[in-house]
């Protein structure tokens, strides 16, 4: 009889422990959702400045490269100055050569024979010039054309510098959103084994 009482007590004790463990597990499970917090991610975008492209173009017009600095594209500034500097160099060089041949031609029209083309490398007077009058005229036409071409190229580079700053300022404010995307896709048609090429527009909301 005593053994039965002991066995009954042990079973009762184990049963109480089992119920307590289940209640505790149930309470833990009920508290679990309260411990989970979902953090809301808010994307902050800079406001669009409609005057930004105009400012960038104005700065580049005042000083080449300043618009690129305004757009924070500093790596473009050396390219702008190298391009404009090259155009200016060729313009000045062609202008200098044009003036040389023009001055010699004017001197001969005045009846002088002491221009640089009447002298040899040591500065001695020659009986006949190294460059004839027709040669002086042809050289003037050549260097004048090259001078004008260099000037046009330099002006073109200056204009491109302004356009680049303006377009860059527009693109910096362009809305690049991952929720809206347009991508090409290719799909194999299983019926006639041909390929279908098209565009896929994805919009996430």
């Amino acid at each position: 009889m005593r053994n039965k009482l002991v066995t009954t007590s042990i079973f009762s004790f184990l049963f109480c422990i089992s119920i307590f463990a289940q209640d505790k597990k149930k309470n833990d499970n009920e508290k679990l959702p309260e411990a989970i917090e979902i953090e809301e991610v808010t994307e902050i975008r800079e406001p669009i400045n409609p005057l930004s492209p105009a400012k960038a173009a104005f700065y580049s017009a005042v000083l080449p490269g300043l618009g690129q600095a305004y757009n924070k594209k500093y790596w473009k500034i050396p390219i702008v100055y190298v391009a404009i500097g090259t155009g200016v160099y060729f313009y000045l060089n062609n202008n200098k050569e044009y003036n040389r041949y023009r001055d010699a031609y004017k001197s001969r029209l005045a009846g002088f024979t002491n221009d640089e083309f009447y002298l040899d490398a040591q500065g001695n007077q020659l009986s006949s010039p190294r460059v004839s009058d027709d040669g002086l005229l042809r050289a003037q036409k050549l260097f004048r054309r090259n001078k004008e071409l260099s000037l046009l190229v330099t002006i073109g580079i200056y204009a491109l510098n302004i356009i680049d700053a303006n377009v860059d300022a527009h693109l910096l404010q362009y809305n690049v959103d991952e929720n809206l995307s347009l991508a090409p896709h290719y799909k194999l048609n299983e019926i006639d084994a041909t390929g279908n090429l098209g565009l896929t527009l994805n919009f996430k909301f």
Side-chain angles (χ1 to χ4, degrees), residues 84-160:
I84 293 179
T86 302
V88 171
Y89 167 78
F90 280 108
Y91 172 81
L92 295 176
N93 184 65
N94 285 296
N95 185 60
K96 179 182 177 180
E97 293 298 320
Y98 169 77
N99 289 333
R100 282 180 59 206
Y101 288 94
R102 186 193 61 178
D103 293 343
Y105 186 72
K106 285 183 176 181
S107 176
R108 292 188 190 180
L109 290 178
F112 297 100
T113 58
N114 58 351
D115 59 80
E116 61 174 296
F117 300 106
Y118 262 104
L119 305 176
D120 59 11
Q122 287 75 29
N124 300 319
Q125 184 75 27
L126 299 173
S127 57
S128 59
R130 291 182 285 113
V131 180
S132 64
D133 294 350
D134 291 338
L136 293 178
L137 286 174
R138 289 194 300 269
Q140 289 181 72
K141 291 180 180 179
L142 173 64
F143 288 111
R144 182 173 60 225
R145 183 185 63 184
N146 292 343
K147 179 179 67 172
E148 293 172 352
L149 183 60
S150 300
L151 180 61
L152 289 176
V153 170
T154 304
I155 294 174
I157 295 173
Y158 172 77
L160 285 176

Side-chain angles (χ1 to χ4, degrees), residues 180-186 197-202:
L180 180 63
S181 62
L182 184 66
H185 78 275
Y186 178 82
L197 183 64
L199 292 175
T200 301
L201 177 65
N202 297 321

Side-chain angles (χ1 to χ4, degrees), residues 44-104:
I44 301 176
R45 296 179 180 175
E46 296 184 0
I48 296 177
N49 183 7
L51 298 179
S52 180
K55 285 183 178 180
F58 175 75
Y59 292 153
S60 285
V62 173
L63 181 64
L66 190 59
Q68 283 72 18
Y70 174 78
N71 293 332
K72 298 181 180 180
K73 295 296 182 69
Y74 303 106
W75 61 273
K76 291 185 177 182
I77 298 176
I79 298 176
V80 171
Y81 278 100
V82 167
I84 293 179
T86 302
V88 171
Y89 167 78
F90 280 108
Y91 172 81
L92 295 176
N93 184 65
N94 285 296
N95 185 60
K96 179 182 177 180
E97 293 298 320
Y98 169 77
N99 289 333
R100 282 180 59 206
Y101 288 94
R102 186 193 61 178
D103 293 343

